[in-house]
Amino acid sequence: MQLAHDSIRRPVPQTNTQVRRPSHRERDRFVGFAFAAADLLIETDAKGTILFSAGARCRLTEGDVAGLVGSSLLDVVAPNDRKYVTVLFKRIQDKGRIKPARVVFQGCDGNRFPALLGGCRLDSCPGSLFLTVLLASGPRNTNEALAAAGQLLDGNAFTHILEDRILKAREKGLDNALTLLLIDGLQSMVDALPEGAASEVMQGIEAYLRAISANGDSAGQLATDRYGIVHASDIDGQEVQDHITQIIQSAGGELPGGIRTWSLDVSDERLDPADAARALVYTVQAFASAQGGEFTISSLEDGAKRMLSDAVDRIGRLRATIEKRDFFVVYQPIVDIGTRTVHHLEALTRVEGMPSPADFITFAEDVGLIYDFDLLLTQSVLDTMHAHRKEPTLPDVAINLSAKTLMSPIFLRQFMAVTEPYGELARKLLIEVTETVVVTDIAKLNEVLQKLRAAGFRICLDDVGAGSTSFQSLYGIQADFAKIDGHFVRGAVHNGRDMAMLRSIVGVCGQLGLGLIGEQVEGPEHAQLLTELGVPLAQGYLYSRPSRDFAYFAKDWAKMAGTGGKVLRKG
């Protein structure tokens, strides 16, 4: 490819000092470096009019790239990204250089495609911007496609990519930062503006936040008035506040609240990179979901820092609990109501020094450590079963796995790897699926569960009838057992509405061929009610409290199975 070397401007000496002009060989070297990093080199004026172009056509023109000279670069940018690119131009002028950011271009054939646009300005060439265009593969996922199409990521998408962005920054030694932004009263202000002005404000904010974000695709709208941005550390909160204030004032808006920013430390050395990233994600999610009073203008700075510090401490303790195995397992029997013999056991977690295991599990799920814990729990239960494998009749054991855990393809592979060495003993595990409400793709969850069933594991749906397992989940998932939420079992004794719900649940589960278990059976009246409704299995204090003594259930089950024993231990 022939390069127009003469179009490369040379510095003009400002004094009588002799300035050495670069040789043709040196100019070739610099141009070679430029083309090694980009497909197309473009020089524009401050408004984007192309003054020079060289390199590959990049689908922007049918003829030689020199034909782009005189046109505006914005004309070949996708319409939704033009305001965004205009902000990038301004940042080059203000900062002197921007790192390559994802931009959607519009080819001469009308089709759109992603590319990375980088640029700088030179003091020796006032009025010119020097840009590089590097063709990029299509967005790696729908979240990036959304950002590349001229929109911010939504809250879920932003937290999804956040951990990856922070980890890569730590691994590569990048000096990135994470900023949370609160624009108090944004929605009420936008609602009061004329339509054109309202659009100008929202599009201006989106374009600016994308422009300052890493790669141009690392900014998200977390809530109506809250945003998150991963960006280079040379951007400070005051700059962000000033720019957004200018956008609002230029459109004639008046913000009833205030604008606050809070920068988070992405390089906390108290945790390893993965756990530090989890602490940030957890804090961002809390910031996004906090209700009025939790994150007010006055409390944002102190409250957010306190929340991040607390998350770091809790993750550290959680990681230590997992690594040191500072937890134990208790077992509670699921009993045949008619014979009062043990059908199987449920393994329940207890953590040393923590009164509420539910809080422990919820936090582990929120920060993404539940996968490690669930695998360790599975192995612990299998080790206990293996230690008692010579008992005449070894009970089956149910372990609780959240639907969120099961939807992870990595977890599924790891679960199979953990259970495989135990052979047929592992098939005595039942998988009790909890929190199906968090899954939006029930068909995908069912696909995962059917793989487990094909491998010999039985599936039980937990809390059927409660908000966490809806009738939609029942319809969409093929399982072996359903555990009826204890609220309806206890309430149906005296409450007609609960009785109606209980009858409905029993009827639907019966039609679907599911074995039924009633939970929270605390008195004989609850057991009698379940018997009358045709529910064969029950779990609750009427039969036994959870116990660490697995051996008791392993030994006594065989004896009671043969004698029709009537009493299990109470603690």
Side-chain angles (χ1 to χ4, degrees):
M1 175 176 62
Q2 184 66 37
L3 301 178
H5 297 309
D6 291 339
S7 66
I8 301 176
R9 301 173 185 267
R10 301 183 179 88
V12 178
Q14 301 298 314
T15 69
N16 292 329
T17 304
Q18 181 65 38
V19 177
R20 184 178 67 85
R21 296 178 182 274
S23 67
H24 284 287
R25 173 62 179 164
E26 288 174 321
R27 290 200 305 271
D28 287 346
R29 182 179 295 124
F30 289 132
V31 172
F33 286 151
F35 277 112
D39 295 300
L40 177 63
L41 306 179
I42 295 176
E43 178 187 357
T44 76
D45 65 15
K47 294 183 178 181
T49 302
I50 297 175
L51 308 176
F52 166 81
S53 63
R57 292 194 300 270
C58 295
R59 298 162 56 185
L60 297 179
T61 178
E62 293 181 352
D64 190 273
V65 291
L68 292 171
V69 173
S71 63
S72 172
L73 180 67
L74 294 177
D75 291 340
V76 293
V77 171
N80 285 351
D81 268 10
R82 288 172 186 169
K83 183 181 287 290
Y84 161 55
V85 171
T86 300
V87 177
L88 291 178
F89 285 166
K90 182 67 166 54
R91 289 193 58 73
I92 295 172
Q93 295 175 61
D94 293 343
K95 297 291 186 180
R97 176 176 178 269
I98 62 166
K99 294 181 179 179
R102 187 176 291 272
V103 171
V104 175
F105 285 90
Q106 188 159 279
C108 57
D109 58 1
N111 292 321
R112 300 177 183 183
F113 62 93
L116 297 176
L117 178 69
C120 69
R121 63 168 172 78
L122 302 176
D123 291 339
S124 56
C125 302
S128 286
L129 304 180
F130 298 90
L131 309 174
T132 61
V133 177
L134 175 64
L135 291 177
S137 59
R140 292 182 290 276
N141 55 48
T142 55
N143 295 333
E144 289 184 348
L146 180 64
Q151 300 180 47
L152 298 176
L153 300 172
D154 63 23
N156 289 333
F158 180 75
T159 54
H160 180 76
I161 62 100
L162 178 58
E163 185 172 339
D164 177 65
R165 293 286 190 274
I166 298 301
L167 282 174
K168 286 183 177 178
R170 290 278 293 267
E171 290 169 358
K172 297 180 180 179
L174 301 178
D175 199 12
N176 278 356
L178 168 64
T179 290
L180 298 180
L181 167 66
L182 172 65
I183 309 177
D184 195 23
L186 175 63
Q187 189 60 53
S188 60
M189 181 201 67
V190 168
D191 291 342
L193 286 172
E195 184 175 344
S199 297
E200 188 69 20
V201 168
M202 296 308 297
Q203 291 174 10
I205 291 173
E206 289 183 0
Y208 173 69
L209 295 183
R210 286 184 60 211
I212 66 174
S213 73
N215 300 327
D217 62 1
S218 302
Q221 184 168 11
L222 309 177
T224 303
D225 57 356
R226 301 170 206 189
Y227 299 83
I229 315 101
V230 179
H231 56 80
S233 60
D234 63 346
I235 297 168
D236 61 44
Q238 190 59 52
E239 173 190 341
V240 176
Q241 293 179 43
D242 292 345
H243 196 101
I244 291 176
T245 298
Q246 183 181 4
I247 292 171
I248 292 172
Q249 291 176 347
S250 297
E254 184 175 348
L255 197 65
I259 301 175
R260 292 293 184 275
T261 54
W262 170 47
S263 293
L264 299 172
D265 182 7
V266 302
S267 58
D268 196 309
E269 298 299 333
R270 288 176 288 173
L271 300 175
D272 67 29
D275 284 350
R278 290 184 176 109
L280 287 168
V281 170
Y282 177 78
T283 306
V284 169
Q285 290 173 330
F287 170 73
S289 61
Q291 301 300 310
E294 295 179 71
F295 272 102
T296 62
I297 290 294
S298 60
S299 70
L300 175 63
E301 189 74 18
D302 179 58
K305 287 182 178 178
R306 188 169 56 249
M307 179 170 286
L308 177 59
S309 178
D310 179 62
V312 169
D313 291 342
R314 291 181 69 185
I315 288 176
R317 293 196 301 270
L318 176 57
R319 175 61 71 185
T321 296
I322 293 173
E323 292 180 351
K324 296 177 182 178
R325 298 197 178 201
D326 286 341
F327 68 92
F328 59 93
V329 180
V330 295
Y331 298 89
Q332 187 174 29
I334 286 77
V335 175
D336 184 301
I337 297 176
T339 65
R340 297 174 72 91
T341 57
V342 176
H343 182 271
H344 67 274
L345 307 177
E346 180 181 3
L348 302 166
T349 305
R350 299 291 183 264
V351 181
E352 298 285 359
M354 187 172 295
S356 172
D359 290 345
F360 174 87
I361 296 299
T362 298
F363 184 72
E365 289 177 343
D366 288 342
V367 298
L369 286 174
I370 192 64
Y371 313 111
D372 295 347
F373 184 76
D374 281 345
L375 288 171
L376 192 57
L377 173 64
T378 300
Q379 187 174 37
S380 178
V381 169
L382 284 171
D383 285 343
T384 298
M385 295 173 69
H386 184 265
H388 296 88
R389 66 190 182 281
K390 294 183 180 179
E391 296 296 338
T393 311
L394 187 68
D396 298 341
V397 179
I399 56 173
N400 290 286
L401 299 179
S402 75
K404 183 179 179 181
T405 293
L406 290 164
M407 289 289 282
S408 166
I410 296 176
F411 176 84
L412 190 59
R413 290 196 299 269
Q414 292 174 329
F415 180 80
M416 292 299 191
V418 165
T419 57
E420 192 274 334
Y422 295 89
E424 286 304 309
L425 183 64
R427 303 311 181 266
K428 294 184 74 63
L429 288 179
L430 286 81
I431 297 172
E432 197 163 306
V433 185
T434 65
E435 295 297 326
T436 58
V437 72
V438 303
V439 176
T440 56
D441 191 346
I442 293 295
K444 179 64 177 178
L445 174 60
N446 185 55
E447 181 182 327
V448 172
L449 295 177
Q450 297 323 301
K451 290 179 181 178
L452 288 166
R453 293 181 83 204
F457 299 98
R458 285 156 296 164
I459 305 298
C460 176
L461 298 180
D462 191 26
D463 293 329
V464 172
S468 57
T469 303
S470 65
F471 284 107
Q472 180 185 2
S473 302
L474 277 177
Y475 180 78
I477 295 175
Q478 292 174 272
D480 302 285
F481 296 95
K483 182 178 285 186
I484 303 169
D485 184 71
H487 167 82
F488 299 108
V489 175
R490 289 181 290 108
V493 174
H494 304 291
N495 187 299
R497 292 175 65 87
D498 286 334
M499 175 61 83
M501 280 295 299
L502 183 57
R503 289 186 184 278
S504 178
I505 293 168
V506 171
V508 170
C509 290
Q511 290 293 319
L512 295 174
L514 295 168
L516 282 169
I517 304 166
E519 64 178 357
Q520 296 185 25
V521 177
E522 298 178 353
E525 69 276 15
H526 303 138
Q528 180 63 32
L529 175 64
L530 292 176
T531 299
E532 291 172 357
L533 292 174
V535 177
L537 303 175
Q539 178 181 10
Y541 290 173
L542 176 64
Y543 303 105
S544 176
R545 292 181 179 274
S547 170
R548 297 179 69 168
D549 191 358
F550 181 89
Y552 173 84
F553 296 115
K555 295 179 184 299
D556 281 21
W557 184 36
K559 182 177 69 175
M560 288 187 295
T563 64
K566 296 298 182 182
V567 180
L568 291 176
R569 77 189 314 178
K570 293 295 182 181

mmCIF file of all heavy atoms in Angstrom, residues 55-85:
data_model
loop_
_atom_site.group_PDB
_atom_site.id
_atom_site.type_symbol
_atom_site.label_atom_id
_atom_site.label_comp_id
_atom_site.label_asym_id
_atom_site.label_seq_id
_atom_site.Cartn_x
_atom_site.Cartn_y
_atom_site.Cartn_z
ATOM 1 N N GLY A 55 -5.160 3.807 4.431
ATOM 2 C CA GLY A 55 -5.306 2.475 4.993
ATOM 3 C C GLY A 55 -6.404 1.693 4.300
ATOM 4 O O GLY A 55 -6.741 1.946 3.139
ATOM 5 N N ALA A 56 -6.978 0.728 5.034
ATOM 6 C CA ALA A 56 -8.037 -0.112 4.474
ATOM 7 C C ALA A 56 -9.347 0.665 4.378
ATOM 8 O O ALA A 56 -9.595 1.587 5.154
ATOM 9 C CB ALA A 56 -8.228 -1.345 5.350
ATOM 10 N N ARG A 57 -10.185 0.293 3.424
ATOM 11 C CA ARG A 57 -11.466 0.996 3.242
ATOM 12 C C ARG A 57 -12.412 0.769 4.422
ATOM 13 O O ARG A 57 -13.291 1.584 4.686
ATOM 14 C CB ARG A 57 -12.153 0.524 1.949
ATOM 15 C CG ARG A 57 -11.424 0.937 0.684
ATOM 16 C CD ARG A 57 -12.318 0.732 -0.532
ATOM 17 N NE ARG A 57 -12.725 -0.652 -0.693
ATOM 18 C CZ ARG A 57 -12.047 -1.555 -1.392
ATOM 19 N NH1 ARG A 57 -10.909 -1.217 -1.983
ATOM 20 N NH2 ARG A 57 -12.486 -2.793 -1.513
ATOM 21 N N CYS A 58 -12.259 -0.350 5.114
ATOM 22 C CA CYS A 58 -13.070 -0.659 6.293
ATOM 23 C C CYS A 58 -14.569 -0.588 6.003
ATOM 24 O O CYS A 58 -15.360 -0.195 6.863
ATOM 25 C CB CYS A 58 -12.722 0.281 7.454
ATOM 26 S SG CYS A 58 -11.045 0.087 8.070
ATOM 27 N N ARG A 59 -14.958 -0.899 4.768
ATOM 28 C CA ARG A 59 -16.372 -0.918 4.373
ATOM 29 C C ARG A 59 -17.017 0.464 4.401
ATOM 30 O O ARG A 59 -18.233 0.593 4.282
ATOM 31 C CB ARG A 59 -17.166 -1.871 5.284
ATOM 32 C CG ARG A 59 -16.692 -3.306 5.197
ATOM 33 C CD ARG A 59 -17.148 -4.141 6.371
ATOM 34 N NE ARG A 59 -18.590 -4.140 6.571
ATOM 35 C CZ ARG A 59 -19.191 -4.734 7.589
ATOM 36 N NH1 ARG A 59 -18.439 -5.360 8.497
ATOM 37 N NH2 ARG A 59 -20.493 -4.700 7.735
ATOM 38 N N LEU A 60 -16.197 1.521 4.570
ATOM 39 C CA LEU A 60 -16.756 2.852 4.666
ATOM 40 C C LEU A 60 -16.939 3.508 3.305
ATOM 41 O O LEU A 60 -17.678 4.483 3.168
ATOM 42 C CB LEU A 60 -15.868 3.739 5.548
ATOM 43 C CG LEU A 60 -15.736 3.287 7.012
ATOM 44 C CD1 LEU A 60 -14.806 4.228 7.759
ATOM 45 C CD2 LEU A 60 -17.096 3.236 7.681
ATOM 46 N N THR A 61 -16.245 3.008 2.293
ATOM 47 C CA THR A 61 -16.328 3.585 0.948
ATOM 48 C C THR A 61 -16.078 2.488 -0.072
ATOM 49 O O THR A 61 -15.356 1.527 0.196
ATOM 50 C CB THR A 61 -15.308 4.728 0.774
ATOM 51 O OG1 THR A 61 -15.386 5.225 -0.548
ATOM 52 C CG2 THR A 61 -13.889 4.256 1.061
ATOM 53 N N GLU A 62 -16.680 2.630 -1.229
ATOM 54 C CA GLU A 62 -16.470 1.637 -2.278
ATOM 55 C C GLU A 62 -15.167 1.893 -3.017
ATOM 56 O O GLU A 62 -14.567 0.979 -3.572
ATOM 57 C CB GLU A 62 -17.645 1.667 -3.266
ATOM 58 C CG GLU A 62 -18.965 1.207 -2.660
ATOM 59 C CD GLU A 62 -20.094 1.235 -3.672
ATOM 60 O OE1 GLU A 62 -19.880 1.759 -4.787
ATOM 61 O OE2 GLU A 62 -21.182 0.752 -3.343
ATOM 62 N N GLY A 63 -14.737 3.146 -3.081
ATOM 63 C CA GLY A 63 -13.508 3.484 -3.783
ATOM 64 C C GLY A 63 -12.334 3.619 -2.832
ATOM 65 O O GLY A 63 -12.342 3.103 -1.715
ATOM 66 N N ASP A 64 -11.303 4.334 -3.274
ATOM 67 C CA ASP A 64 -10.120 4.563 -2.464
ATOM 68 C C ASP A 64 -10.488 5.369 -1.224
ATOM 69 O O ASP A 64 -11.350 6.255 -1.274
ATOM 70 C CB ASP A 64 -9.063 5.306 -3.299
ATOM 71 C CG ASP A 64 -7.723 5.363 -2.583
ATOM 72 O OD1 ASP A 64 -7.530 6.303 -1.798
ATOM 73 O OD2 ASP A 64 -6.900 4.460 -2.804
ATOM 74 N N VAL A 65 -9.802 5.108 -0.114
ATOM 75 C CA VAL A 65 -10.123 5.806 1.121
ATOM 76 C C VAL A 65 -9.860 7.302 1.027
ATOM 77 O O VAL A 65 -10.418 8.089 1.793
ATOM 78 C CB VAL A 65 -9.350 5.228 2.324
ATOM 79 C CG1 VAL A 65 -9.839 3.847 2.663
ATOM 80 C CG2 VAL A 65 -7.857 5.233 2.063
ATOM 81 N N ALA A 66 -9.028 7.687 0.066
ATOM 82 C CA ALA A 66 -8.785 9.125 -0.106
ATOM 83 C C ALA A 66 -10.076 9.852 -0.471
ATOM 84 O O ALA A 66 -10.197 11.064 -0.262
ATOM 85 C CB ALA A 66 -7.722 9.360 -1.175
ATOM 86 N N GLY A 67 -11.045 9.096 -0.988
ATOM 87 C CA GLY A 67 -12.318 9.693 -1.351
ATOM 88 C C GLY A 67 -13.132 10.161 -0.150
ATOM 89 O O GLY A 67 -14.119 10.881 -0.313
ATOM 90 N N LEU A 68 -12.713 9.763 1.047
ATOM 91 C CA LEU A 68 -13.403 10.211 2.250
ATOM 92 C C LEU A 68 -13.057 11.653 2.605
ATOM 93 O O LEU A 68 -13.779 12.295 3.377
ATOM 94 C CB LEU A 68 -13.051 9.309 3.442
ATOM 95 C CG LEU A 68 -13.567 7.856 3.394
ATOM 96 C CD1 LEU A 68 -12.951 7.034 4.531
ATOM 97 C CD2 LEU A 68 -15.084 7.825 3.479
ATOM 98 N N VAL A 69 -11.934 12.156 2.072
ATOM 99 C CA VAL A 69 -11.495 13.511 2.402
ATOM 100 C C VAL A 69 -12.574 14.514 1.986
ATOM 101 O O VAL A 69 -13.133 14.445 0.893
ATOM 102 C CB VAL A 69 -10.159 13.835 1.704
ATOM 103 C CG1 VAL A 69 -9.796 15.313 1.908
ATOM 104 C CG2 VAL A 69 -9.053 12.931 2.243
ATOM 105 N N GLY A 70 -12.864 15.424 2.883
ATOM 106 C CA GLY A 70 -13.882 16.436 2.635
ATOM 107 C C GLY A 70 -15.237 16.101 3.228
ATOM 108 O O GLY A 70 -16.074 16.983 3.416
ATOM 109 N N SER A 71 -15.469 14.831 3.519
ATOM 110 C CA SER A 71 -16.735 14.442 4.151
ATOM 111 C C SER A 71 -16.569 14.454 5.668
ATOM 112 O O SER A 71 -15.460 14.614 6.187
ATOM 113 C CB SER A 71 -17.159 13.049 3.679
ATOM 114 O OG SER A 71 -16.211 12.065 4.062
ATOM 115 N N SER A 72 -17.661 14.294 6.383
ATOM 116 C CA SER A 72 -17.606 14.264 7.843
ATOM 117 C C SER A 72 -17.538 12.829 8.325
ATOM 118 O O SER A 72 -18.266 11.955 7.822
ATOM 119 C CB SER A 72 -18.836 14.950 8.437
ATOM 120 O OG SER A 72 -18.871 14.766 9.840
ATOM 121 N N LEU A 73 -16.691 12.590 9.305
ATOM 122 C CA LEU A 73 -16.610 11.250 9.873
ATOM 123 C C LEU A 73 -17.954 10.840 10.469
ATOM 124 O O LEU A 73 -18.330 9.668 10.429
ATOM 125 C CB LEU A 73 -15.523 11.200 10.952
ATOM 126 C CG LEU A 73 -15.329 9.833 11.626
ATOM 127 C CD1 LEU A 73 -14.781 8.821 10.628
ATOM 128 C CD2 LEU A 73 -14.399 9.937 12.825
ATOM 129 N N LEU A 74 -18.702 11.812 10.987
ATOM 130 C CA LEU A 74 -19.994 11.495 11.584
ATOM 131 C C LEU A 74 -20.963 10.893 10.568
ATOM 132 O O LEU A 74 -21.887 10.172 10.943
ATOM 133 C CB LEU A 74 -20.617 12.741 12.205
ATOM 134 C CG LEU A 74 -19.884 13.329 13.421
ATOM 135 C CD1 LEU A 74 -20.571 14.592 13.893
ATOM 136 C CD2 LEU A 74 -19.808 12.307 14.560
ATOM 137 N N ASP A 75 -20.749 11.190 9.275
ATOM 138 C CA ASP A 75 -21.638 10.646 8.247
ATOM 139 C C ASP A 75 -21.511 9.136 8.111
ATOM 140 O O ASP A 75 -22.434 8.477 7.621
ATOM 141 C CB ASP A 75 -21.348 11.302 6.893
ATOM 142 C CG ASP A 75 -21.764 12.765 6.853
ATOM 143 O OD1 ASP A 75 -22.594 13.151 7.697
ATOM 144 O OD2 ASP A 75 -21.251 13.504 5.991
ATOM 145 N N VAL A 76 -20.363 8.581 8.514
ATOM 146 C CA VAL A 76 -20.175 7.124 8.400
ATOM 147 C C VAL A 76 -20.311 6.441 9.767
ATOM 148 O O VAL A 76 -20.010 5.254 9.902
ATOM 149 C CB VAL A 76 -18.820 6.776 7.759
ATOM 150 C CG1 VAL A 76 -18.790 7.223 6.305
ATOM 151 C CG2 VAL A 76 -17.656 7.372 8.533
ATOM 152 N N VAL A 77 -20.750 7.189 10.769
ATOM 153 C CA VAL A 77 -21.037 6.625 12.085
ATOM 154 C C VAL A 77 -22.539 6.354 12.171
ATOM 155 O O VAL A 77 -23.350 7.128 11.661
ATOM 156 C CB VAL A 77 -20.608 7.612 13.199
ATOM 157 C CG1 VAL A 77 -21.092 7.135 14.566
ATOM 158 C CG2 VAL A 77 -19.092 7.761 13.205
ATOM 159 N N ALA A 78 -22.908 5.230 12.789
ATOM 160 C CA ALA A 78 -24.324 4.906 12.951
ATOM 161 C C ALA A 78 -25.020 6.054 13.682
ATOM 162 O O ALA A 78 -24.455 6.641 14.606
ATOM 163 C CB ALA A 78 -24.479 3.603 13.726
ATOM 164 N N PRO A 79 -26.249 6.402 13.270
ATOM 165 C CA PRO A 79 -26.938 7.569 13.856
ATOM 166 C C PRO A 79 -26.970 7.585 15.376
ATOM 167 O O PRO A 79 -26.762 8.624 15.995
ATOM 168 C CB PRO A 79 -28.344 7.467 13.255
ATOM 169 C CG PRO A 79 -28.137 6.790 11.940
ATOM 170 C CD PRO A 79 -27.033 5.795 12.178
ATOM 171 N N ASN A 80 -27.223 6.429 16.000
ATOM 172 C CA ASN A 80 -27.315 6.389 17.459
ATOM 173 C C ASN A 80 -25.993 6.682 18.153
ATOM 174 O O ASN A 80 -25.966 6.987 19.346
ATOM 175 C CB ASN A 80 -27.821 5.022 17.925
ATOM 176 C CG ASN A 80 -29.300 4.849 17.696
ATOM 177 O OD1 ASN A 80 -29.997 5.791 17.349
ATOM 178 N ND2 ASN A 80 -29.787 3.626 17.872
ATOM 179 N N ASP A 81 -24.891 6.576 17.414
ATOM 180 C CA ASP A 81 -23.577 6.791 18.018
ATOM 181 C C ASP A 81 -22.969 8.151 17.677
ATOM 182 O O ASP A 81 -21.842 8.442 18.092
ATOM 183 C CB ASP A 81 -22.608 5.685 17.579
ATOM 184 C CG ASP A 81 -22.586 4.510 18.543
ATOM 185 O OD1 ASP A 81 -23.451 4.484 19.433
ATOM 186 O OD2 ASP A 81 -21.715 3.634 18.411
ATOM 187 N N ARG A 82 -23.678 9.000 16.936
ATOM 188 C CA ARG A 82 -23.074 10.259 16.498
ATOM 189 C C ARG A 82 -22.857 11.232 17.651
ATOM 190 O O ARG A 82 -21.805 11.870 17.747
ATOM 191 C CB ARG A 82 -23.935 10.882 15.403
ATOM 192 C CG ARG A 82 -23.813 10.109 14.085
ATOM 193 C CD ARG A 82 -24.784 10.564 13.025
ATOM 194 N NE ARG A 82 -24.686 9.680 11.849
ATOM 195 C CZ ARG A 82 -25.542 9.672 10.836
ATOM 196 N NH1 ARG A 82 -26.584 10.509 10.850
ATOM 197 N NH2 ARG A 82 -25.376 8.840 9.829
ATOM 198 N N LYS A 83 -23.818 11.350 18.538
ATOM 199 C CA LYS A 83 -23.625 12.221 19.694
ATOM 200 C C LYS A 83 -22.484 11.699 20.556
ATOM 201 O O LYS A 83 -21.674 12.473 21.092
ATOM 202 C CB LYS A 83 -24.918 12.327 20.502
ATOM 203 C CG LYS A 83 -24.841 13.283 21.687
ATOM 204 C CD LYS A 83 -26.141 13.331 22.459
ATOM 205 C CE LYS A 83 -27.214 14.078 21.684
ATOM 206 N NZ LYS A 83 -26.935 15.536 21.603
ATOM 207 N N TYR A 84 -22.407 10.392 20.693
ATOM 208 C CA TYR A 84 -21.343 9.740 21.459
ATOM 209 C C TYR A 84 -19.977 10.056 20.858
ATOM 210 O O TYR A 84 -19.032 10.423 21.574
ATOM 211 C CB TYR A 84 -21.644 8.248 21.490
ATOM 212 C CG TYR A 84 -20.526 7.309 21.824
ATOM 213 C CD1 TYR A 84 -19.783 7.436 22.994
ATOM 214 C CD2 TYR A 84 -20.245 6.230 20.986
ATOM 215 C CE1 TYR A 84 -18.785 6.524 23.305
ATOM 216 C CE2 TYR A 84 -19.252 5.323 21.290
ATOM 217 C CZ TYR A 84 -18.516 5.477 22.447
ATOM 218 O OH TYR A 84 -17.535 4.571 22.754
ATOM 219 N N VAL A 85 -19.848 9.958 19.522
ATOM 220 C CA VAL A 85 -18.566 10.250 18.867
ATOM 221 C C VAL A 85 -18.224 11.735 18.993
ATOM 222 O O VAL A 85 -17.059 12.108 19.148
ATOM 223 C CB VAL A 85 -18.596 9.800 17.393
ATOM 224 C CG1 VAL A 85 -17.368 10.301 16.639
ATOM 225 C CG2 VAL A 85 -18.677 8.279 17.318
#
